[in-house]
Structure formats: structure tokens, C-alpha cells
Amino acid sequence: MPNTTNPLPPETERLLAKLNPIQLAWLSGYAWAKAQGAGAESAVNFDQVFDAPTAEPLKVTVLSASQTGNAKSVANKLADRLKAEGINVNRVSLTDYKAKNIADEKLVLLVSSTQGEGEAPEEGVVLLKLLNGKKAPKLEGLQFAVLGLGDSSYPNFCQAGKDFDSRFAALGGSRLLEVGLADLDFRATADKWIDDITAIVKEKAAAFPSTPVGASSAGAAKPAVESQYNKDNPFPATLMTNQRITDKSSEKDVRHLEFDLSGSGLTYQPGDVLGVYFENDPALAAEILAAVGLKGDEEVTVDGNLFDISTALQTKLELTQNTPAFVKGYAELADNAALNAIVEDAEKLQTLVQSTPIVDVLNEFPATVAPEALVNLLRPITPRLYSISSSPAEVGEEVHLSVGVVRFEHNGKVRSGGASGYLADRVEEDGQVRVFVEHNDNFRLPQDHGKPIIMIGSGTGIAPFRAFLQQRAADEAEGKNWLIFGNQHFALDFLYQAEWLQFAKDGFLNKYSFAWSRDQEEKIYVQHKIRENAADIWQWIQDGAYIYVCGDAGRMAKDVDKALLDVIAQQGKLSAEEAEEFLDGLREDKRYQRDVY
């Protein structure tokens, strides 16, 4: 029976698919004229139309691989700048980007943060694995530039940005600009990089036809009514509750903190993080001043404002995170032979940075330092980010955190973390803490309430899962929930034990697996529980489960990843490479999400 909806033969369809809009428009008129019996070919040169150039405007794809929002905000700023210059921009977060599409790109600008021990942020993992894998595409037609954001107190500074840059080049891409490397105080470096790459792109765009502005921006921030409070203008939230939730005899001091956000206009969802600004311990500031021979009343300038140096150390400058830059800069001032020898050996320098607080570098290699010189060695205080452990559906205009207090001993003195020590020891209940919300769209409950979820975490990695269960209960979600949680001791470190038991009683915690690493001779961790429950894990995955991991990126998250790959290979009867592809598929479908640090 003839096809009456499309009478054209297949070869004609194939020809039409190759035509550009101008050619199709001409052909439409030509065909109409022929149907009327006219000789349209005498009016238009058919060969000229079909040989017409089909040049398109230069299109720039701006990608971001972001964990806490900084890389995303820089990429948005870059995209806006390019659009203002008349450039055709496709703005995409890597969480919404199909990795294989990189083979079809012509010009890519990528902004990537770094997490853990130099890994790419979660949304960038699939693309970087593709670029490093056996199926990596040839990228001879790609022009690119990469900006990396990082923290120089870690050994693999901006490693993810460096890795993207080197792989693009190794696969044949042409580098438009050397990889940019931005530290915690990234704005000045990022702004200069944006200026530099915009000038280069403008020059290239001049050789192309004019560009329509208003290009697509998948993954860009959606316009919304926002609070006046943000990272640059934090909200002074009242600390209502500061409760230790580990036993007094536990090695770990974990605090449950509750803040009042009333009147702030700040909103959040389960999976988001809270940024906390802190002040340094006055005793630590005094010890540093004594070590370098200063009294504390000397005046210094920080960010264009005048302070006495004691106030500057307590409120403006980072004192608890050592960096190679600090040690190198101090070595030049101290002129100490032993310290100079360490600085000249990269491995010894990194060991010193990772094991020795700033104050103890000053104590161990004493020298007199001028006030301004000391200030110039130190970085500005940056806020710490904590996974939120509450859902607004349960707590209203409050926000809860689960904070592990960093405490350690060095040379016989107990040291504490900057923010965790501040929250645990120096802020009284009813005192105020400056906070802001960072949205984390890469760690979200499934929109379908019927989907099962598997939550895997250790220590304070349990925080977002408390928020998840509060939300699932409020939604009366019918999807099953499984918690796999690990800590040292059942009796001492079972965070929120009563709440989990109540969730189970109410039917919202359908399965739970606990790993208490120190309650027996053989250490048991969450990855052991994953392998122990391999058949059930696989069945839940087949039933559409979303898998979430929260906790330490350096060890736990890697061990969990390996355990999941083993389960997938074993239960799915897949090769190691096929299991890797399967897990990457879950990640691209947002069914495997991680919040690791």
C-alpha cells in the first residue's frame, strides 16, 4: 500500500536532510512553481543556490565542573561576558552534558574545581574518564581553554583543571590560553582569565558571520527571587542548639548545631550545603604574634582597611590551614638553614605543610617578622562548607548541621580546626554566626517519590541523609529507603540513633546496614556491607534505585566506588570495563550521586 503521508522516495529524503534553510526555502518555491507549470529554473540559478556557502557563526560552549558552586558562578560570568560581546554561547553544566558530545565541539571553555585528592568534582567525572579511557575521541577540531579552581593547602592544587587541560591537548585539541590556576581567593585570577580568553574569542569570532545573541544556556542558573544574603553578604544566624552527639568517651567530638534563619529569606533543599564564616581563636592569634616578636597593637592594612594586627589575625586571615606558599615566603624572611633545606626538597616541603600548623612552623623556626610582612604571608579567611542535615519540611526556618570537631596534638599542644573549633568551643548558644546557603543540584532526591534510594555514608557523612529521610517522610514517599552507615563504635558513635529507629518504626527506613569498624578485631567498613549485600544492591538498582554517597573523598568514597563496581560486575555478569560503563551510565542518569570532601 503506498505511503500517502510522505510520497517522496527515500533518496529524496536523504537529499533534503543535507540542505540548509536557504536551500530548502528556495526549493519550496521552485517545487510550487513547477506544480503550476512554470519554469522556475529560468528565474534562479539552481547551481548557485546549492553551491552557496553555509558558514555558521562561531559557537562557544562554556562548561563548568562545580562541586560547591564557585566554578559554576565563574562559568556563568564568563558566558554573560561573551554574550555581551555578541558571541554565540552554549552554557552547560557538566551534570547536564553528554560526555560523548565533546567530539563534536569546536570551541570549549571549561571552568573546573578540584576536590578530594585532586579529583574532578562529581559532575566532571564522566567526561574526564572518557578523555582518559580507551574510547577517548580524537579532538583535532577542538580549540579550548581551561580555568582550574583549587586550594593551595592541598598537594594536588587545581589538579582537575590541569587534567582536563592536558587531556584536551593530548587528544589533539588546540590550546587557546594556558590553563588558569586560581586559589581559594579566586576572584582576581578568574576575572583576569575571563578578560584574556574573551579577547582571544572575540578575535576569532570576527572571522565568522555575525552572531545572534541569546544562545542556549542549559544548566545555567535559573532566575529566581533570591535572598539578599549570600556568600558576599552572609546572614547573622542565631545558634540555638550546640549538642554533642557522640559519647564523651568517644575519640570523635561531633556536634549537632541548629541555627535560626528567620527573616533571612534564605531557602534550601536536602542536599544543599551551609557556608559558615568563623573567627580564629584569640589564643592562637596571640601565640603567633609572640612567635614573630609582635605585641598585637601594630596597625596593618587588609583589603584596604586598617586594623590592629591582633584583630586582623582573629577576624580576617587564615591561621589554621598551612600552604607551600606560606612556608616558602616565611623561609625567605627567616633565613633559617634547616627550613631552607626543607623548602628546597618538594617532598619534604609537602610533608611539613600537611603535618605542621602555621603556628608551629613559626615556633620551630623562630624569626622576627614585621607586621605587614606577616599579613602578606597569610591568605584571607574563607568560609567552611557543611552538608545540611535537615529538611525545611521538618524544621521550618531552621537549618541543622552535623559537625565533626577537628582536634589533634602537635608537639604536645592540642590544636583545633578553625571553623569546627569556633562552632564547638567559642560561640555561645544564642550567639550569632554568619552563614549562607550554597545550592548543590548534583545531590538531589529523585523527583519520583516512588523510586528507592540507597544512602551510603560514614561519620558526619550521615548529615544529608537525615535531611533526605525527613523530606521523604514529609512527602510520604512510597519509595523504599536503605541506609548503609559506618563509624567506629556502636555504643559511642551512632549518630542520630533514636531518629533512625523512629524512621524505621514509621516505615521510612526499610533497610539498614551498619558497619562499626572498632567493635571487633577485624575492621568493618561500609564497603564490606556493600559486598555483603551484593544481591540486594543489584536488585534495588534493577528496581530503579538512586545511590548516594557522602563522606571522605580520599578513602571511603574510593572504596565504595570499587565495591559497587565489584557488585555490578559480579551480579550483572559483566566485565570490569562493562561494569565501569554501567556505573557511569547511572551517574549520567543522576542515579549515582556523591557529596564527598
Side-chain angles (χ1 to χ4, degrees), residues 9 29 48 77 127 136 145 167 212 247 318 327 346 352 367 369 414 431 435 438 451 458 488 513 593:
Q48 285 181 354
K77 186 173 183 179
L127 176 58
R167 291 310 299 160
D247 190 86
E318 177 62 65
V327 175
L352 178 71
V369 178
V414 176
V435 304
E438 287 278 11
K451 294 294 184 183
S458 60
Q488 290 189 351
S513 308
Q593 302 181 32

Side-chain angles (χ1 to χ4, degrees), residues 16-287:
L16 292 175
K18 298 178 181 179
L19 303 185
N20 65 34
I22 295 174
Q23 294 165 345
L24 286 169
W26 182 91
L27 186 61
S28 174
Y30 173 81
W32 182 87
K34 291 292 287 183
Q36 304 302 311
E41 65 269 24
S42 62
V44 179
N45 186 324
F46 188 93
D47 291 333
Q48 285 181 354
V49 172
F50 276 78
D51 289 337
T54 60
E56 296 180 356
L58 176 68
K59 185 182 77 171
V60 178
T61 297
V62 176
L63 300 175
S64 62
S66 189
Q67 192 69 19
T68 62
N70 289 336
K72 183 176 181 179
S73 68
V74 172
N76 286 342
K77 186 173 183 179
L78 169 62
D80 290 343
R81 173 70 179 279
L82 291 171
K83 289 177 186 177
E85 298 288 351
I87 308 297
N88 184 5
V89 177
N90 180 34
R91 168 74 186 97
V92 193
S93 294
L94 282 181
T95 189
D96 299 311
Y97 186 78
K98 290 295 183 183
K100 64 181 181 181
N101 291 348
I102 195 69
D104 301 321
E105 300 286 1
K106 299 302 181 186
L107 200 160
V108 166
L109 307 178
L110 171 63
V111 183
S112 177
S113 62
T114 297
Q115 67 168 13
E117 297 181 343
E119 292 89 1
E122 279 307 296
E123 61 184 20
V125 168
V126 174
L127 176 58
L128 192 55
K129 286 174 73 172
L130 173 67
L131 297 175
N132 280 294
K134 294 179 180 178
K135 298 181 180 179
K138 297 297 183 183
L139 300 178
E140 286 92 346
L142 176 70
Q143 299 181 86
F144 71 92
V146 177
L147 173 64
L149 307 186
D151 180 348
S152 60
S153 67
Y154 288 88
N156 298 311
F157 175 54
C158 288
Q159 191 61 48
K162 295 174 183 176
D163 289 344
F164 276 116
D165 177 80
S166 64
R167 291 310 299 160
F168 285 152
L171 294 170
S174 300
R175 187 182 285 111
L176 295 174
L177 185 65
E178 286 301 309
V179 59
L181 305 177
D183 208 339
L184 283 178
D185 189 16
F186 61 86
R187 284 183 175 82
T189 302
D191 287 347
K192 183 179 186 308
W193 188 86
I194 289 174
D195 288 342
D196 292 346
I197 195 61
T198 298
I200 293 171
V201 172
K202 277 181 64 180
E203 184 176 341
K204 291 194 168 294
F208 286 77
S210 59
T211 303
V213 182
S216 63
S217 56
K222 298 181 177 64
V225 177
E226 293 186 358
S227 167
Q228 63 175 306
Y229 297 104
N230 49 44
K231 185 176 182 179
D232 295 323
N233 181 34
F235 175 69
T238 299
L239 176 62
M240 302 184 298
T241 300
N242 178 354
Q243 177 187 2
R244 177 167 175 153
I245 55 175
T246 47
D247 190 86
K248 290 183 178 179
S249 60
S250 171
E251 292 181 20
K252 298 183 177 183
D253 179 359
V254 177
R255 302 300 177 98
H256 172 74
L257 304 169
E258 299 180 0
F259 299 91
D260 183 4
L261 296 181
S262 297
S264 68
L266 290 170
T267 59
Y268 65 92
Q269 299 179 52
D272 286 340
V273 298
L274 192 74
V276 175
Y277 281 96
F278 64 96
E279 295 184 1
N280 289 307
D281 186 349
L284 175 61
E287 186 177 352

